[in-house]
Amino acid sequence: MLLWKMRPVRFASLGVLLSASGVLAQTPGVAVPDWALPDSPTHKQVAPPPDFHRDPVTANKPIGIFENQTDVGAALVPGDANYNARDNSYTITSAGYNIWYTRDEFRYLWKKMSGDVSLAAAVTFPDPNGFGDRKAALVIRQGLNDDAVEVLVAQHGAGMVHLAWREIQNTRIKDMEYRVGSRGGLPGGTTPDSLVTLHAGRIGIEKRGDVFQLWVSWQGETMHPEGAPVTLHLQEPFYVGIGFTSHQPATLSAAKLGNVVLDNRAGRVR
């Protein structure tokens, strides 16, 4: 098994994706800023203009263990979410150009908290062949504004897991990125030399004071810290929750976050 760190692989735009219900999710007639379009063979996504922001849109819809849900960054197509109490899972539907650069666009299920936090979930994507850079995230943020100070752990559709943080409002996110793959040790390779990406079985984030740590279980093993933590201070109370962005500004897609565990203590990621 190999472990390496790299920038996320950028995929050509697929144009139209299927939503969780299987219907076409591209919204016609929506004007998308050129900077927000994802990378493709003919286009390079760039950071939004420094003064570009959209106010959050909060649905006033409590769901599961979360107090409310918000379209952070007010993506061009509104998001939604559903909760299944039988398996303690949340399916989040969202458009949104990214959770990156100086501002974010994603559907966010949240509650206000103070103190230490442990949060974990198993991430799956209803459309396994969807856009590679979509991401489901465990997010701890100072506010609901699109450029808020935050720390997050995310799992991408193509398999990359990262710990990302915005230290100062309206500044660019930094991150540490992890991909795990195997030659011959995982199904799916066309030859024994094919490198097959391993998708994490479970991801988590722990806040212990001002220290934030990525936790992961790659193949069903007990969850464990991955990489070095980061240090960042948040004023109390702050927002804690789960979110998803399709990485396509006007296209809805979905992620399922299952067996969600949220504890107001450190050392409880599981």
Side-chain angles (χ1 to χ4, degrees), residues 140-164:
I140 304 178
R141 319 182 92 234
Q142 188 64 74
L144 297 175
N145 45 304
D146 60 4
D147 60 350
V149 173
E150 66 185 346
V151 184
L152 63 101
V153 165
Q155 184 167 340
H156 292 59
M160 188 265 283
V161 171
H162 74 166
L163 172 67

Side-chain angles (χ1 to χ4, degrees), residues 41-52:
T42 60
H43 183 270
K44 173 68 175 176
Q45 187 180 75
V46 297
D51 59 349
F52 185 93

Side-chain angles (χ1 to χ4, degrees), residues 132-184:
D133 219 8
R134 61 196 159 153
K135 62 191 77 169
L138 314 178
V139 190
I140 304 178
R141 319 182 92 234
Q142 188 64 74
L144 297 175
N145 45 304
D146 60 4
D147 60 350
V149 173
E150 66 185 346
V151 184
L152 63 101
V153 165
Q155 184 167 340
H156 292 59
M160 188 265 283
V161 171
H162 74 166
L163 172 67
W165 62 98
R166 180 180 290 120
E167 296 173 302
I168 301 171
Q169 184 176 342
N170 199 33
T171 60
R172 185 178 176 125
I173 279 181
K174 304 173 183 178
D175 78 344
M176 291 296 293
E177 306 179 355
Y178 305 88
R179 289 183 183 270
V180 170
S182 173
R183 301 184 193 275

